[in-house]
């Protein structure tokens, strides 16, 4: 049988103390104290599951004792006993951390036991919930990230290590290697996961706009500043700020960032009031920052501050063993989205995927699979479904007479596919939809989108 829960009874009246002890000791391992001081000593020397204390005690009162107990690293369930007629006090007790209260004059042992049991059950559920949530968060953090190559395994490991800290992380790698998806994972796996994740694409804005985007501005700070604006740093309070394409920021903003990293403080544009924010920075770049430092475009001191931990995401061509996994993952995703029953690649198709150089890395692979799925008419993705760029990349060097193969966009390809199906079924929409493996509803929507209703 499981051990009995431990219970500490604090009351200065001996009869109450001993009465309660006698009533409860069958189910609980009961200890007693006659004032807050000796109760505190007991609480500090040992863990108790439940604290049952009178409000009125010699010296410190029961509320203070509860506050003290709740500040322990593993606090007990706290139940306050009050005299009849002091309900207000009871409400106050609950606010200060008591889990329940009972009115002494009316005390029924049955009810007291029931309340203790209920509080203990509630606590157990809460503990289980916290564990479950943590587990879910961990899974969520990386569940959508695929990779089995040694290089990626190493990345996963570093991410797991740095995520729980507040350390600034710099993610580097070519375009499409997964910098953003990892930035999000770092946030998800950190204790900040429930706070905001705010992403700023630094290259997308002119320097002056970027400055107010990041730090905010006061009304009238510059022409067009009609309203006060809260910046991204303030929005990210308690959470993570992701600065994408950090290599693009200009000197003035570099200085401000440097200051933030040193002092955690900044000012809104047009204000001299210093603000602080508890924000973790994650930055990314596909530029070689070291080069930018050498040419004087990027401040060296800022570079070092950002690169406390650098995670290098290798290009896809240097971790080809990840290609089948990624391709399979994207295929499943798009097949579900498009409700097509395609879940495999032919050997030829897979070989082409493996041989291609993927200059656009994972992002390019993802688009290629989407393209192939839309075109695919069988149950497996075959070589001819792949985008021309991938096929051309696999062709024996400059095959003579071969058309250059303009890379169709997914939409163009889809439109052509629908046109072809309609032609082949003499305009029978039901058959055409079936042929492509689309639901009738989707098919009709697409006819509308591509202006093919006349066909
Ligand atoms: N390991 C991976 N597993 C699953 N999906 C991935 C992986 N890496 C990248 N992706 C996907 O590939 C696409 C590109 O990734 P992401 O946007 O993170 O790249 P990036 O490095 O930020 O690119 P850019 O430099 O162009 O901004 C996204 O759709 C992302 O979800
Ligand atoms: Mg990106």
């Amino acid at each position: 049988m499981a051990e009995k829960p431990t219970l500490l009874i604090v009351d200065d009246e001996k009869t109450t103390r001993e009465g309660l002890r006698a009533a409860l000791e069958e189910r609980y391992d009961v200890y007693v104290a006659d004032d807050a001081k000796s109760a505190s000593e007991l609480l500090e020397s040992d863990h108790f599951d439940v604290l049952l204390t009178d409000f009125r005690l010699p010296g410190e009162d029961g509320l203070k004792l509860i506050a003290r107990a709740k500040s322990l690293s593993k606090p007990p369930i706290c139940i306050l006993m009050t005299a009849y007629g002091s309900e207000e006090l009871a409400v106050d007790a609950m606010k200060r951390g008591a889990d329940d209260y009972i009115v002494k004059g009316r005390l029924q042992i049955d009810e007291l036991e029931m309340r203790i049991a209920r509080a203990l059950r509630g606590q157990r559920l809460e503990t289980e919930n916290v564990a479950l949530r943590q587990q879910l968060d961990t899974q969520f953090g990386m569940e959508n990230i695929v990779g089995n190559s040694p290089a990626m395994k190493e990345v996963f490991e570093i991410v797991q290590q740095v995520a729980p800290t507040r350390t600034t992380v710099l993610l580097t790698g070519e375009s499409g290697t997964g910098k953003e998806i990892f930035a999000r994972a770092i946030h998800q796996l950190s204790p900040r996961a429930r706070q905001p994740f705010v992403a700023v694409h630094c290259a997308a804005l002119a320097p002056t706009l970027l400055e107010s985007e990041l730090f905010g501005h006061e009304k009238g700070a510059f022409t067009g500043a009609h309203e006060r604006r809260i910046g991204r740093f303030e929005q990210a309070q308690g959470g993570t700020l992701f600065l994408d394409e950090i290599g693009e920021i200009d000197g003035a903003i570099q200085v401000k960032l440097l200051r933030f990293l040193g002092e955690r403080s900044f000012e809104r544009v047009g204000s001299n009031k210093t603000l602080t924010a508890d924000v973790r920075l994650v930055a990314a770049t596909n530029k070689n920052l070291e080069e930018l430092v050498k040419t004087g475009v990027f401040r060296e001191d800022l570079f070092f501050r950002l690169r406390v931990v650098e995670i290098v995401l290798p290009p896809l061509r240097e971790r080809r063993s990840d290609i089948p996994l990624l391709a399979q993952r994207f295929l499943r995703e798009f097949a579900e989205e498009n409700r097509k029953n395609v879940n495999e690649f032919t050997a030829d198709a897979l070989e082409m995927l493996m041989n291609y150089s993927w200059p656009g890395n994972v992002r390019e692979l993802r688009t290629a699979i989407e393209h192939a799925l839309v075109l695919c008419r069988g149950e497996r993705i075959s070589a001819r479904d792949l985008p021309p760029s991938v096929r051309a990349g696999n062709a024996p060097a400059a095959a003579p007479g071969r058309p250059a193969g303009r890379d169709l966009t997914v939409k163009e390809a889809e439109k052509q596919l629908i046109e072809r199906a309609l032609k082949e079924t003499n305009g029978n929409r039901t058959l055409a939809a079936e042929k492509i493996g689309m639901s009738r509803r989707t098919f009709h929507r697409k006819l509308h989108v591509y202006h093919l209703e006349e066909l």
Side-chain angles (χ1 to χ4, degrees), residues 286-344:
N286 53 18
K287 296 256 161 70
N288 183 339
L289 277 191
E290 241 157 344
E291 280 301 314
L292 296 183
V293 168
K294 272 188 207 142
T295 52
V297 178
F298 205 87
R299 293 181 70 104
E300 185 172 38
D301 42 10
L302 178 58
F303 173 58
F304 286 130
R305 282 253 182 201
L306 289 172
R307 200 190 56 169
V308 181
V309 172
E310 179 177 3
I311 298 180
V312 182
L313 295 170
L316 191 53
R317 63 184 170 281
E318 285 173 19
R319 47 180 166 113
R320 288 185 191 274
S321 60
D322 288 339
I323 293 175
L325 274 181
L326 284 162
Q328 195 61 49
R329 163 65 66 107
F330 296 144
L331 179 60
R332 199 173 65 209
E333 180 187 330
F334 290 120
E336 260 168 35
E337 202 177 297
N338 292 280
R339 306 199 178 177
K340 284 181 96 170
N341 190 18
V342 180
N343 46 33
E344 271 188 307

Side-chain angles (χ1 to χ4, degrees), residues 165-217:
T165 69
R166 195 171 81 168
T167 305
T168 305
V169 178
L170 178 65
L171 293 156
T172 56
E174 290 178 10
S175 177
T177 46
K179 297 184 291 294
E180 179 147 2
I181 200 176
F182 273 105
R184 288 180 190 275
I186 290 171
H187 174 71
Q188 281 300 333
L189 294 169
S190 80
R192 299 170 173 259
R194 278 161 206 292
Q195 307 299 324
F197 174 88
V198 176
V200 180
H201 296 268
C202 300
L205 294 169
T208 50
L209 288 180
L210 179 61
E211 184 173 355
S212 88
E213 174 87 10
L214 289 175
F215 302 104
H217 62 240

